[in-house]
């Protein structure tokens, strides 16, 4: 019989101790939460690897109420086009990513909330005076991200002759406007305000202040997981009542002088 080397034995013992917590409770697996990595003020992965934004604060608060500490959270990047897939394939426990509740998405995922109300708006170059309303986008180039419903709303109802440029992320749309390969960018005013408020963008862009839609942000989770839905709704309600929601809004949107709506009433799961 082959005798294992001392190093191998030590490794096996160490692994066994880790797995059992030295006879105590096994270490808790981190909770995986889907957020945006490129939306200033909403969900942003900063150069130093930390995460900032309102959705990050909401997700962290919810995770705490579910029994997880900050260091037990694993944030995973989601894009507008793959949020449902990550939830359906259990890549994340829930998604907090400027995720508007609508009937089409409800067919695939469950929602908790809403926890925030935004409005669709337009952002253009600060020196562009040719666009003052959505109808001015006819024969102009409108940038949006794949999977977003914003451009579809404008083409269908306001500017049918607008050409739509679909890119992978809002940061790419921002570059397209800056470089004059697009004339306008559309999404929720909360997201646009986050971009306009960044120091590097100061004075370069402007929001038109159009409230073209009501976007109720919800927490996306696995279809049929009503227990988790109930727990998240309870956490959201608590976050509003103890003042943490208001503090997070002011911290993330305050520098942009963003006029936000009061916290909405939680309505899902009722």
């Amino acid at each position: 019989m082959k005798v294992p080397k001392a190093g191998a034995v030590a490794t096996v013992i160490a692994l066994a101790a880790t797995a059992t917590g030295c006879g105590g409770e096994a270490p808790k697996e981190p909770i995986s939460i889907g957020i945006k990595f490129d939306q200033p003020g909403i969900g942003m992965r900063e150069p130093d690897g930390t995460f900032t934004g309102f959705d990050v604060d909401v997700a962290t608060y919810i995770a705490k109420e579910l029994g997880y500490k900050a260091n037990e959270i694993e944030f995973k990047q989601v894009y507008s086009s793959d949020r449902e897939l990550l939830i359906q394939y259990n890549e994340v426990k829930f998604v907090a990513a400027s995720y508007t509740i609508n009937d089409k998405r409800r067919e695939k995922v469950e929602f908790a909330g809403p926890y925030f109300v935004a409005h669709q708006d337009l952002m253009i170059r600060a020196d562009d005076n040719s666009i003052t309303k959505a109808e001015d986008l006819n024969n102009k180039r409108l940038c949006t991200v794949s999977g977003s419903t914003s451009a579809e709303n404008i083409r269908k109802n306001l500017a049918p002759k607008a050409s739509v440029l679909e890119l992978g992320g809002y940061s790419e749309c921002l570059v397209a406007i800056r470089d004059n390969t697009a004339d306008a960018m559309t999404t929720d005013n909360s997201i646009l305000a986050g971009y306009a408020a960044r120091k590097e963008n100061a004075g370069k862009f402007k929001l038109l202040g159009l409230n073209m839609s009501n976007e109720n942000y919800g927490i996306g989770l696995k279809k049929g997981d009503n227990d988790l839905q109930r727990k998240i709704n309870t956490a959201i309600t608590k976050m509003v009542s103890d003042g943490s929601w208001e503090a997070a809004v002011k911290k993330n949107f305050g520098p942009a002088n963003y006029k936000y709506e009061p916290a909405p009433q939680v309505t899902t799961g009722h």
Side-chain angles (χ1 to χ4, degrees):
M1 185 178 82
K2 220 172 178 184
V3 179
K5 294 180 182 176
V9 173
T11 302
V12 171
I13 293 170
L15 287 172
T18 303
T20 60
C22 296
E25 189 181 335
K28 186 186 292 181
E29 282 202 21
I31 184 171
S32 294
I33 302 172
I35 62 167
K36 294 291 182 73
F37 276 26
D38 69 341
Q39 288 182 0
I42 297 286
M44 188 78 182
R45 189 180 190 276
E46 300 293 348
D48 64 359
T50 60
F51 297 96
T52 62
F54 181 69
D55 280 349
V56 174
D57 291 342
V58 171
T60 302
Y61 190 99
I62 290 169
K64 180 192 74 176
E65 292 299 305
L66 294 175
Y68 294 88
K69 298 172 185 174
N71 62 357
E72 295 171 332
I73 298 171
E74 179 189 10
F75 286 120
K76 289 190 176 182
Q77 183 172 22
V78 299
Y79 298 93
S80 295
S81 57
D82 68 5
R83 288 176 292 207
E84 286 88 17
L85 285 174
L86 265 69
I87 294 168
Q88 289 172 327
Y89 286 96
N90 299 313
E91 291 294 317
V92 294
K93 191 69 173 176
F94 63 83
V95 166
S98 55
Y99 200 3
T100 300
I101 300 169
N102 64 36
D103 290 339
K104 186 177 179 181
R105 290 167 176 166
R106 280 184 197 270
E107 293 173 5
K108 298 178 179 178
V109 300
E110 214 72 66
F111 280 103
Y115 64 92
F116 193 80
V117 180
H119 303 286
Q120 185 181 349
D121 200 357
L122 290 172
M123 187 163 77
I124 61 176
R125 288 181 295 279
D127 60 359
D128 185 354
N129 297 314
S130 68
I131 303 171
T132 59
K133 56 187 184 299
E135 287 82 357
D136 293 336
L137 289 170
N138 279 311
N139 303 313
K140 299 268 190 182
R141 301 158 300 176
L142 175 63
C143 192
T144 188
V145 302
S146 304
S148 171
T149 58
S150 300
E152 182 185 328
N153 292 342
I154 291 175
R155 289 258 326 245
K156 183 179 177 182
N157 302 311
L158 299 165
K161 293 180 181 177
S163 63
V164 174
L165 174 65
E166 279 198 5
L167 297 177
Y170 293 110
S171 296
E172 295 169 53
C173 276
L174 195 77
V175 171
I177 300 174
R178 186 196 68 195
D179 294 347
N180 204 21
T181 55
D183 299 299
M185 168 179 169
T186 186
T187 186
D188 304 345
N189 53 7
S190 55
I191 298 169
L192 297 175
Y195 278 107
R198 295 288 275 194
K199 287 180 182 177
E200 63 268 25
N201 297 329
K204 295 179 182 177
F205 306 97
K206 62 183 177 184
L207 276 67
L208 294 187
L210 308 175
N211 289 349
M212 293 183 283
S213 67
N214 293 322
E215 308 294 333
N216 289 285
Y217 290 175
I219 303 294
L221 56 140
K222 195 76 178 278
K223 187 75 176 171
D225 194 344
N226 301 118
D227 182 55
L228 181 60
Q229 181 191 49
R230 178 182 54 78
K231 288 176 180 176
I232 293 176
N233 280 338
T234 300
I236 293 169
T237 302
K238 183 179 176 183
M239 186 177 187
V240 173
S241 66
D242 70 12
S244 300
W245 184 93
E246 185 87 13
V249 171
K250 288 180 176 175
K251 182 183 82 171
N252 292 292
F253 301 127
N257 294 317
Y258 173 61
K259 294 179 175 63
Y260 59 88
E261 299 277 348
Q265 186 72 35
V266 171
T267 56
T268 58
H270 291 180

